[in-house]
């Protein structure tokens, strides 16, 4: 079976680890990774969501953080600080720097982000095909107003430096409107037997992937059933600050509202947590088949059970 998953960062990567444990030998998983979180620092291109998937599935992730490398040291960052070069708020470790150096060196040599990602995965062997959503530069920015006035800041500054403490007035995936899907992305969607939306951030992760012209239409018109898993449990995001960006796009922070946000033209099935069983009826009224099951990714086995439930629901809603 050919499975395609649109994945963001930490939640998406953790789900994929369970999906790998749940599928049968011979099943192929293609991950279309969000690159809107990308940031250029020190002349290097950092791809947080691609790296989180690669490290998590490749066994190099810092498990508690969900980003960056395990057994990390911070000598380069400390030396940069001595030179007065920031930003201090974004933690790039020495091991992680190697990834960005290899990526940036290859990009400078003329390779595409897809080719770079494929090369990095030769080392990490994530066990999935990891495609960036686009080889073109897309960087999510957030419009905020604070004592310094109204301005757009990079998503990472909003997320990491400000901890999303100020309201997001708008979320803008800069460059998405002129970006093209990376090679293989539309083909993978068209050839998929199942398409999954993991419990990633619906706005800045899956929403950004869908903002690349052609991708939303490809998913909506795909022969494969599309099943999503709610990143919101009991009216709150499981991790991260998805509520802040959901509000920015006028979506309530509930499992039902996120399903409606995707819409029945895009998703056929939706899994909500047992705590949100009351939402099943309303989601089904929106034309999306819905099931309530435990959605907390407490360990690989729990996540594998979620993945199996998503694959089963996909068979029930197959078009
Ligand atoms: N997240 C943080 O909360 N603090 C950090 O200092 C930080 C550094 C960082 C460095 C490399 C990288 O690939 C990811 C990093 N992240 C950090 C996570 C990053 O902000 C992710 O994009 C978000 O967590 C959303 O996926």
């Amino acid at each position: 079976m050919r499975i395609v998953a649109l994945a963001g960062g930490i939640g998406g990567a953790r789900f994929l680890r369970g999906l790998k444990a749940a599928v049968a030998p011979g099943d192929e998983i293609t991950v279309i990774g969000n690159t809107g979180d990308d940031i250029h620092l020190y002349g290097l291109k950092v791809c947080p969501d691609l790296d989180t998937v690669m490290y998590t599935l490749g066994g190099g992730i810092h498990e508690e953080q969900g980003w960056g490398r395990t057994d990390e040291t911070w000598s380069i960052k400390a030396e940069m600080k001595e030179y007065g070069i920031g930003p201090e708020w974004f933690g790039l470790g020495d091991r992680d720097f190697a990834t960005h150096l290899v990526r940036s060196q290859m990009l400078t040599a003329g390779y595409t982000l897809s080719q770079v990602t494929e090369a990095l995965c030769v080392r990490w062997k994530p066990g999935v095909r990891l495609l960036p959503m686009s080889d073109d530069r897309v960087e999510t920015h957030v419009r905020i107003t604070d004592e310094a006035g109204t301005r757009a800041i990079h998503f990472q500054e909003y997320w990491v430096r400000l901890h999303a403490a100020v309201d997001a007035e708008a979320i803008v995936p800069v460059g998405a409107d002129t970006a093209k899907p990376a090679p293989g992305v539309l083909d993978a969607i068209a050839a998929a037997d199942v398409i999954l939306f993991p419990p990633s951030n619906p706005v800045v992760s899956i929403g950004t992937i869908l903002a690349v012209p052609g991708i939303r239409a490809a998913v909506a018109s795909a022969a494969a059933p599309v099943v999503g898993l709610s990143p919101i449990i009991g009216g709150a995001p499981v991790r991260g600050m998805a509520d802040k960006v959901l509000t920015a796009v006028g979506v309530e922070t509930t499992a039902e509202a996120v399903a409606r946000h995707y819409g029945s033209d895009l998703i056929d099935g939706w899994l909500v947590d047992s705590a949100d069983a009351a939402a099943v009826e309303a989601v089904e009224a929106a034309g999306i088949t819905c099931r309530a099951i435990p959605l907390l990714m407490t360990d690989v086995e729990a996540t594998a059970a979620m993945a199996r439930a998503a694959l089963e629901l996909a068979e029930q809603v197959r078009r």
Side-chain angles (χ1 to χ4, degrees):
M1 182 160 64
R2 290 182 296 260
I3 302 165
V4 168
L6 276 57
I10 299 161
R14 289 211 168 126
F15 174 77
L16 291 169
R17 197 160 43 188
L19 179 62
K20 276 179 70 180
V23 297
D27 288 349
E28 294 165 6
I29 301 172
T30 298
V31 177
I32 299 171
N34 169 43
T35 61
D37 283 10
D38 291 2
I39 184 168
H40 287 76
L41 293 172
Y42 318 113
L44 302 176
K45 183 181 180 74
V46 179
C47 300
D49 282 0
L50 296 180
D51 292 349
T52 286
V53 170
M54 189 172 72
Y55 291 159
T56 299
L57 301 186
I61 196 74
H62 184 297
E63 195 60 44
E64 294 67 46
Q65 281 176 180
W67 55 266
R69 285 293 314 282
T70 186
D71 306 325
E72 193 53 284
T73 52
W74 306 91
S75 303
I76 299 174
K77 186 167 164 46
E79 287 300 306
M80 298 298 277
K81 183 177 179 182
E82 291 304 311
Y83 282 112
I85 305 291
E88 284 188 53
W89 48 266
F90 199 69
L92 283 180
D94 299 330
R95 293 178 187 274
D96 200 26
F97 261 108
T99 299
H100 314 314
L101 285 167
V102 170
R103 175 183 294 120
S104 305
Q105 178 179 310
M106 289 185 70
L107 290 171
T108 303
Y111 291 98
T112 62
L113 183 58
S114 298
Q115 290 166 328
V116 171
T117 305
E118 191 175 358
L120 295 173
C121 287
V122 167
R123 171 192 175 182
W124 287 103
K125 299 179 179 51
V128 302
R129 188 161 67 119
L130 177 57
L131 302 176
M133 68 187 197
S134 173
D135 283 340
D136 301 317
R137 181 167 173 170
V138 178
E139 290 191 15
T140 300
H141 283 63
V142 180
R143 194 180 78 231
I144 63 163
T145 297
D146 61 12
E147 62 283 350
T150 295
R151 64 194 188 289
I153 60 174
H154 191 285
F155 169 74
Q156 293 299 344
E157 182 175 0
Y158 178 70
W159 206 249
V160 177
R161 187 173 73 80
L162 298 183
H163 303 292
V166 297
D167 288 347
E169 295 168 1
I171 311 281
V172 184
V174 175
D177 51 338
T178 56
K180 291 182 297 303
V185 164
L186 297 183
D187 292 345
I189 292 169
D193 297 306
V194 180
I195 299 170
L196 299 175
F197 287 9
S200 289
N201 189 305
V203 179
V204 293
S205 293
I206 293 179
T208 302
I209 298 169
L210 294 170
V212 175
I215 294 183
R216 172 184 284 274
V219 174
S221 60
V226 182
V227 172
L229 296 94
S230 176
I232 305 297
I233 294 181
V238 175
R239 182 192 171 97
M241 300 158 274
D243 49 328
K244 301 294 283 193
V245 292
L246 280 167
T247 305
V249 296
V251 178
E252 258 186 292
T253 301
T254 66
E256 175 199 344
V258 174
R260 288 178 179 278
H261 174 61
Y262 285 134
S264 59
D265 65 321
L266 200 58
I267 61 173
D268 305 294
W270 185 245
L271 291 178
V272 302
D273 185 74
S274 316
D276 296 310
V280 169
E281 191 179 344
V283 174
E284 298 230 319
I288 300 162
T289 305
C290 187
R291 300 280 181 276
I293 63 162
L295 282 190
L296 272 179
M297 298 190 281
T298 45
D299 56 28
V300 176
E301 188 34 51
T303 312
M306 290 163 52
R308 276 191 288 273
L311 294 174
E312 282 160 22
L313 181 52
E315 290 318 308
Q316 290 165 25
V317 299
R318 185 166 292 286
R319 294 171 181 171

